[in-house]
């Protein structure tokens, strides 16, 4: 297991203790001073349990970030939300600009290949996003974002074993509104957002719209590109997003909404930074972590489109019904240069296609001494892909003379199709006027069908004509077709099927000591679907589902409407974790055989604390800290022992202050914050890609006119220009003495992708 700097741990705990002491002293001071303006805590409403409730009455660990707080901090993309939620990782994946890596309490999914299921559920207005491609959402017309920590297997279902992130858009007011907002900033950032709404029928029918054009030059560049005429910007942004909404208020009790959204991300494929010099080229390690080399096209495209329909009927004072139907599809073309050199050592051109539909019917009932949330849910999804692992340099060197090879390509194509249906029910029952019981469960039945075709050609092969200039795919032949059944037939000829069912319970006790104090304890279970290996080279069986069992003890209290303390202690067991093992073959550097199976699992325990201090009418201080102690069970089936959980720092901490000024020129809000992440691994089987602990400092000042029509903000992020890895690739053999031997492709490929550098941007908007 990795070793951590204990001084960092002591420092984090000391800050927590000092802040708590200062908060208590400030409370006493405020109580004894008549001259201090009376502060107050904001009531925050969330829908974590699929019904509107106060944050302080929800017996789970939830962080809610509202539209005002997002604006005051200059947050424009979902990944920035990670700093507000303890023990949470939301980061842009390796190789692309819009693929999400999400982990909560050490549970998630790192590999974004089709067929693999996420461990953290992403929702837009209760619509599930099944794939990580395009899930790095840019915020447009958002009301709040909720981060639910811990398994949400009862109300939200499969693939929420780590938790869920909910993106909630703003409901229309019924008035005519129009907002235009422009942003300029570092690296030639130029953004334009337009949102608005029009009442088509007064008090009945409203039409809403939103569009964003988001552009920025790259943080770095491709210093050497093997293809002429390519855009050499690296880490750039070229994205457009649109939303259209139609809301119908048929009566006070009946509401319907039809919503459409589309996102096009044409940002370049992201080039990684070589942490080791290449053995096969003379190009030096770049001076900047944002610079790279490539032999691939730099183009990249992600297209997402979705349609949803919501109908909500308040039948009477006790009973409400809701129906949600959705259809989503996505297409991605990408070029990932794994080795990041100007040679075709290990290049992966790929495309992904997915589409899914879902239906959910929900019934909520509120009685005199109990409440009930129940529903049925159906999901039908197809996820397909194609990638070519081009090992051309190695193919020509090893096989050119004997086989006439002009290159070497491992091509994989396939689909994973999923059908699931679930029924759930959860009730909160009042035992006394202070003690209540929560009990619920969800039954899920899922069927999957998958196929994969895996072949080896002794030439450089790309997915389609003109993938690189002048390339003609034609009829590609594969002398070696890898992956056969017991009869010797390609596994493409025989799709594999498997089905699973799982009951995921939840039970909890809540004790309301008074109107401002709640204690809670709960047990919950999460279920992540079984799946087939999308890279299979043998006709292997499906991996079993993953199960997470979690226990939480929590405390939520508002102290005299001045201090809010929400603390949760948790313990979880993550069993049958799906894991990919690579078959080692030191005599054949072309080996890409990967087997998907289950390992024993892992366990974790920790604590999360979120504290808000309304120090005065104008000043608010927020502090949060998360600690997690995790361990992976030893598993003799693994050739390489696992050394720790990926993307899971032992400590995360955020300290922020917010000060409001009322002036004759308008309302100013000054915001500053420091966010710290302890050291963490990018991969569980090696510490070659270990990111040391680091902190980022952010500051903002926002302004709104007295009339409320003009507004603006100046935002400075990562002021100390910290560089931290958020993704990577490891295809180099660590010799254990600080040296590395060649891995797949015949080179020492150890690659890092990094967070955003220091930036500044200015936003100005006008509301009509």
């Amino acid at each position: 297991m990795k070793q951590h700097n204990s001084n960092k741990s002591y420092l984090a705990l000391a800050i927590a203790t000092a802040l708590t002491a200062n908060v208590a002293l400030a409370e006493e001071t405020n109580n004894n001073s008549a001259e201090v303006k009376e502060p107050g805590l904001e009531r925050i409403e969330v829908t974590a349990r699929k019904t509107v409730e106060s944050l302080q009455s929800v017996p789970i660990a939830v962080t809610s970030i509202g539209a005002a707080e997002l604006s005051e901090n200059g947050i424009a993309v979902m990944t920035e939300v990670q700093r507000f939620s303890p023990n949470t990782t939301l980061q842009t994946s390796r190789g692309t600009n819009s693929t999400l890596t999400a982990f909560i309490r050490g549970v998630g999914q790192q590999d974004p290949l089709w067929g693999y299921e996420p461990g953290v559920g992403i929702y837009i207005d209760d619509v599930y996003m099944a794939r990580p491609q395009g899930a790095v959402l840019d915020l447009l017309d958002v009301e709040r974002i909720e981060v639910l920590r811990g398994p949400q297997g009862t109300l939200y279902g499969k693939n929420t074993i780590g938790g869920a992130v909910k993106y909630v858009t703003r409901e229309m007011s019924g008035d005519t509104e129009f907002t235009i907002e422009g942003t300029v900033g570092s690296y030639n950032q130029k953004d334009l957002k337009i949102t608005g709404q029009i009442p088509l029928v007064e008090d009945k029918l409203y039409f809403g719209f939103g569009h964003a054009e988001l552009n920025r030059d790259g943080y770095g560049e491709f210093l050497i590109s093997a293809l002429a005429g390519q855009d050499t910007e690296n880490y750039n942004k070229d994205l457009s997003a649109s939303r259209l909404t139609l809301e119908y208020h048929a009566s006070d009790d009946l509401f319907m909404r039809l919503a459409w959204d589309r996102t096009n991300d044409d940002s370049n494929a992201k080039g990684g930074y070589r942490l080791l010099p290449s053995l096969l080229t003379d190009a030096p390690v770049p001076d900047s972590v944002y610079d790279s080399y490539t032999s691939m096209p730099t183009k990249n495209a992600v297209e997402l489109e979705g349609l949803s329909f919501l109908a909500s009927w308040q039948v009477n004072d006790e009973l409400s019904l809701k129906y949600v139907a959705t259809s989503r599809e996505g297409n991605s073309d990408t070029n990932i240069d794994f080795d990041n050199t100007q040679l075709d050592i290990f290049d992966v051109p790929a495309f992904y296609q997915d589409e899914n539909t879902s239906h959910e019917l929900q019934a909520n009932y509120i009685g005199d001494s109990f409440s009930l949330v129940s529903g049925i849910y159906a999901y039908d999804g197809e996820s397909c892909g194609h990638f070519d692992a081009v090992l051309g340099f190695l193919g020509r060197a090893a096989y050119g003379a004997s086989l006439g090879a002009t290159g070497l390509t491992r091509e994989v194509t396939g689909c994973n199709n999923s059908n699931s249906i679930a029924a759930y029910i959860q009730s909160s029952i009042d035992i006394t006027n202070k003690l209540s019981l929560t009990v619920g469960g969800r039954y899920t039945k899922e069927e999957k069908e998958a196929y994969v075709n895996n072949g080896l050609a002794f030439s450089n092969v790309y997915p389609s004509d003109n993938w690189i200039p002048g390339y003609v795919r034609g009829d590609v032949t594969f002398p070696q077709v890898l992956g056969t059944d017991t009869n010797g037939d390609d596994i493409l000829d025989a799709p594999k099927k498997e089905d699973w069912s799982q009951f995921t319970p939840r039970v909890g006790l809540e004790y309301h000591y008074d109107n401002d104090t709640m204690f809670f304890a709960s047990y919950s279970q999460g279920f992540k679907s079984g799946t087939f290996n999308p890279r299979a080279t043998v006709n292997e069986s499906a991996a079993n589902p993953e199960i997470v069992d979690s226990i939480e003890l929590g405390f939520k209290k508002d102290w005299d409407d001045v201090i809010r303390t929400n603390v949760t202690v948790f313990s979880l067991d993550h069993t049958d974790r799906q894991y990919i093992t690579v078959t080692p073959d030191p005599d054949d550097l072309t080996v890409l055989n990967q087997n998907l199976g289950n390992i024993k699992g892992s366990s974790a325990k920790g604590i999360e604390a979120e504290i808000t201090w309304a120090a005065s009418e104008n000043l608010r201080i927020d502090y949060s800290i998360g600690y997690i102690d995790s361990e992976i069970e030893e598993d003799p089936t693994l050739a390489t022992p696992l050394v720790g959980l990926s993307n899971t720092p032992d400590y995360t901490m955020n300290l922020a202050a917010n000060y409001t000024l009322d002036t004759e020129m308008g309302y100013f809000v000054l915001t500053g914050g420091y966010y710290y992440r302890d050291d963490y691994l990018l991969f569980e089987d090696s510490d070659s890609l270990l990111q040391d602990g680091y902190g980022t400092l952010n500051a903002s000042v926002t302004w709104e006119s007295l009339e409320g029509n003009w507004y603006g903000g100046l935002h400075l992020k990562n002021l100390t220009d910290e560089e931290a890895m958020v993704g990577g690739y490891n295809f180099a053999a660590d010799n254990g003495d600080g040296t590395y031997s060649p891995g797949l492709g015949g080179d020492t490929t150890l690659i890092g992708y990094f967070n955003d550098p220091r930036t500044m941007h200015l936003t100005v908007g006008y509301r009509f």
Side-chain angles (χ1 to χ4, degrees):
M1 300 294 292
K2 60 178 180 175
Q3 299 296 317
H4 297 280
N5 187 335
S6 60
N7 290 333
K8 298 174 185 175
S9 305
Y10 297 146
L11 175 62
L13 291 176
I15 292 174
T17 304
L19 182 63
T20 305
N22 288 337
V23 165
L25 177 61
E27 179 188 6
E28 181 179 350
T29 301
N30 284 338
N31 289 340
N32 295 332
S33 175
E35 296 181 359
V36 178
K37 291 182 180 180
E38 285 296 324
L41 294 169
E42 177 188 4
R43 173 184 167 87
I44 300 174
E45 291 188 339
V46 296
T47 54
R49 295 198 294 180
K50 295 201 171 183
T51 186
V52 178
E53 299 175 283
S54 165
L55 174 69
Q56 296 306 99
S57 65
V58 176
I60 58 177
V62 185
T63 298
S64 178
I65 309 100
E69 190 172 4
L70 293 168
S71 176
E72 290 163 2
N73 286 274
I75 293 176
V77 66
M78 181 180 282
T79 50
E80 294 185 76
V81 171
Q82 75 168 3
R83 75 175 189 250
F84 295 93
S85 180
N87 291 326
T88 298
T89 295
L90 299 171
Q91 294 180 337
T92 305
S93 184
R94 53 191 189 262
T96 69
N97 286 303
S98 55
T99 301
L100 182 68
T101 297
F103 280 76
I104 296 178
R105 295 180 178 175
V107 181
Q109 170 62 43
Q110 187 182 63
D111 196 330
L113 199 66
W114 71 86
Y116 291 138
E117 305 279 3
V120 174
I122 308 297
Y123 295 83
I124 304 176
D125 290 332
D126 286 333
V127 174
Y128 175 57
M129 292 195 67
R131 304 296 305 139
Q133 284 80 17
V136 179
L137 301 170
D138 288 87
L139 307 185
L140 181 64
D141 217 12
V142 65
E143 179 178 304
R144 68 181 180 276
I145 293 177
E146 300 174 14
V147 182
L148 286 59
R149 296 186 296 277
Q152 308 296 319
T154 300
L155 294 181
Y156 292 90
K158 67 167 187 164
N159 304 337
T160 56
I161 54 176
V165 180
K166 298 183 60 177
Y167 178 116
V168 183
T169 60
R170 186 167 66 94
E171 189 173 312
M172 284 185 264
S173 65
D175 300 325
T176 299
E177 296 180 5
F178 182 80
T179 300
I180 183 169
E181 177 182 297
T183 298
V184 294
S186 305
Y187 300 95
N188 199 29
Q189 179 183 356
K190 295 177 182 178
D191 296 343
L192 178 65
K193 293 183 179 181
I194 298 173
T195 59
Q197 55 179 284
I198 302 170
L200 302 179
V201 178
E202 187 176 0
D203 297 329
K204 289 290 184 182
L205 186 63
Y206 315 141
F207 173 71
F209 57 89
H211 182 75
E213 292 287 339
L214 310 175
N215 297 274
R216 186 198 66 235
D217 292 345
Y219 299 142
E221 60 179 324
F222 291 97
L223 302 174
I224 299 176
S225 176
L227 301 175
Q230 295 294 308
D231 186 346
T232 60
E233 289 187 276
N234 195 19
Y235 287 81
N236 73 324
K237 189 168 190 175
D238 181 5
L239 183 144
S240 64
S242 302
R243 293 179 62 88
L244 298 176
T245 307
L246 194 65
E247 290 185 357
Y248 179 47
H249 297 255
S251 66
D252 292 340
D253 301 322
L254 182 60
F255 169 78
M256 287 178 278
R257 179 174 63 203
L258 182 66
W260 169 87
D261 68 89
R262 182 175 177 84
T263 299
N264 289 292
D265 185 358
D266 293 319
S267 310
N268 288 347
K270 194 159 56 176
Y273 175 74
R274 286 197 64 93
L275 297 166
L276 298 174
S278 170
L279 300 178
L280 304 177
T281 76
D282 57 0
V285 173
D287 293 333
S288 169
V289 298
Y290 305 105
D291 288 344
S292 188
Y293 311 112
T294 188
S295 60
M296 297 279 286
T298 58
K299 64 181 180 180
N300 181 72
V302 178
E303 298 177 355
L304 304 172
E305 189 169 11
L307 187 67
S308 66
F309 173 74
L310 163 71
S312 178
W313 179 27
Q314 188 70 42
V315 181
N316 52 46
D317 291 342
E318 294 82 20
L319 178 64
S320 63
L321 300 176
K322 181 189 291 186
Y323 170 67
V324 181
T326 70
S327 175
R328 298 198 65 84
E329 62 180 31
N331 295 278
S332 301
D333 290 355
T334 189
N335 290 281
I336 305 176
D337 192 327
F338 277 57
D339 59 283
N340 291 277
T341 72
Q342 65 270 35
L343 300 179
D344 52 352
I345 296 171
F346 190 2
D347 300 342
V348 182
F351 65 78
Y352 307 101
Q353 298 173 332
D354 62 89
E355 58 184 33
N356 60 78
T357 58
S358 66
H359 301 269
E360 183 171 10
L361 180 61
Q362 181 182 327
N364 293 352
Y365 185 85
I366 301 177
D368 293 335
S369 59
F370 74 98
S371 61
L372 188 72
V373 178
S374 62
I376 55 175
Y377 177 81
Y379 172 86
D380 184 5
E382 179 180 85
S383 181
C384 299
H386 173 140
F387 74 81
D388 292 301
V390 179
L391 309 170
F393 184 88
L394 181 62
R396 291 188 296 274
Y399 304 105
S402 59
L403 298 176
T406 59
L408 184 68
T409 302
R410 191 72 165 274
E411 182 170 272
V412 178
T413 61
C415 287
N416 270 256
N417 306 327
S418 173
N419 281 278
S420 65
I421 188 167
Y424 62 89
I425 186 169
Q426 181 169 294
S427 179
S428 182
I429 304 165
D430 295 334
I431 300 174
T432 69
N433 62 344
K434 291 189 175 184
L435 182 65
S436 60
L437 169 70
T438 295
V439 60
R442 185 184 191 104
Y443 178 78
T444 303
K445 182 173 177 58
E446 175 152 13
E447 179 181 280
K448 281 197 174 180
E449 179 180 87
Y451 72 81
V452 61
N453 192 34
N454 200 322
L456 187 66
F458 295 101
S459 61
N460 285 7
V461 176
Y462 298 88
S464 62
D465 289 350
N466 295 314
W467 193 279
I468 61 173
Y471 172 74
V472 177
R473 180 177 170 90
D475 295 327
V476 178
T477 59
F478 289 87
Q480 296 184 39
V481 177
L482 309 171
T484 58
D485 60 22
T486 55
N487 297 320
D489 297 322
D490 295 354
I491 56 177
L492 175 63
D493 298 333
K496 297 165 287 185
K497 294 182 179 180
E498 186 66 83
D499 61 80
W500 303 271
S501 60
Q502 183 71 27
F503 176 76
T504 50
R506 181 181 182 87
V507 60
L509 283 172
E510 302 91 44
Y511 181 71
H512 293 266
Y513 179 77
D514 55 36
N515 291 334
D516 298 318
T517 310
M518 180 182 68
F519 299 88
F520 65 90
S522 67
Y523 161 78
S524 60
Q525 188 178 84
F527 160 74
K528 177 179 172 182
S529 173
T531 195
F532 292 95
N533 184 1
R535 300 186 183 93
T537 51
V538 295
N539 195 17
E540 61 186 73
S541 301
N544 294 326
E546 299 183 16
I547 302 295
V548 171
D549 294 287
S550 174
I551 296 175
E552 290 187 4
L553 301 174
F555 165 73
K556 294 187 176 185
K557 181 173 177 60
D558 288 351
W559 305 78
D560 296 330
D561 201 31
V562 175
I563 302 169
R564 174 169 294 157
T565 53
N566 293 346
V567 181
T568 306
V569 178
F570 66 89
S571 174
L572 64 85
D573 287 312
H574 187 180
T575 57
D576 280 335
R577 291 180 66 237
Q578 296 164 10
Y579 195 75
I580 304 164
T581 59
V582 180
T583 305
D585 188 347
D587 298 324
D588 187 354
L589 296 178
T590 70
V591 165
L592 195 62
N593 297 336
Q594 296 188 348
N595 299 313
L596 176 65
N598 297 91
I599 62 174
K600 289 182 178 180
S602 60
S603 61
K605 55 183 180 292
I607 185 170
E608 296 157 353
E610 297 175 276
I611 301 169
T612 298
W613 174 26
S616 71
E617 188 177 53
N618 302 97
L619 176 63
R620 189 187 77 241
I621 295 177
D622 293 290
Y623 178 78
S624 65
I625 187 167
Y627 167 74
I628 185 168
D629 178 18
S630 58
E631 182 179 1
I632 298 179
E633 293 187 48
E634 294 185 8
D635 195 319
T637 64
L638 296 177
T640 303
L642 303 184
V643 295
L645 295 181
S646 68
N647 292 281
T648 305
D650 281 1
Y651 288 94
T652 56
M653 187 272 287
N654 188 53
L655 176 63
N658 179 287
Y659 189 79
T660 304
L661 287 171
D662 297 349
T663 73
E664 295 180 354
M665 298 176 57
Y667 306 97
F668 290 86
V669 179
L670 284 69
T671 304
Y674 177 76
Y675 173 63
Y676 176 77
R677 288 174 69 82
D678 198 17
D679 51 315
Y680 57 90
L681 295 165
L682 293 182
F683 293 97
E684 297 178 337
D685 59 356
S686 171
D687 58 5
S688 296
L689 291 175
L690 170 66
Q691 173 59 50
D692 292 334
Y694 70 97
T696 55
L697 186 64
N698 308 287
S700 298
V701 55
T702 59
W703 166 81
E704 185 176 12
S705 66
L706 295 174
E707 297 79 12
N709 50 354
W710 284 98
Y711 65 94
L714 179 65
H715 306 281
L716 296 89
K717 300 181 180 180
N718 192 8
L719 282 167
T720 55
D721 205 21
E722 297 289 332
E723 296 175 350
M725 287 187 295
V726 297
Y729 292 109
N730 181 7
F731 291 96
D734 188 348
N735 297 323
D737 57 0
T739 63
Y740 290 83
S741 299
L744 184 66
D747 202 3
T748 49
T749 297
L750 189 65
I751 306 299
Y753 297 89
F754 287 79
N755 64 332
D756 293 352
R758 178 174 51 235
T759 61
M760 177 181 70
H761 70 264
L762 174 68
T763 295
V764 177
Y766 185 76
R767 305 183 183 100
F768 293 87

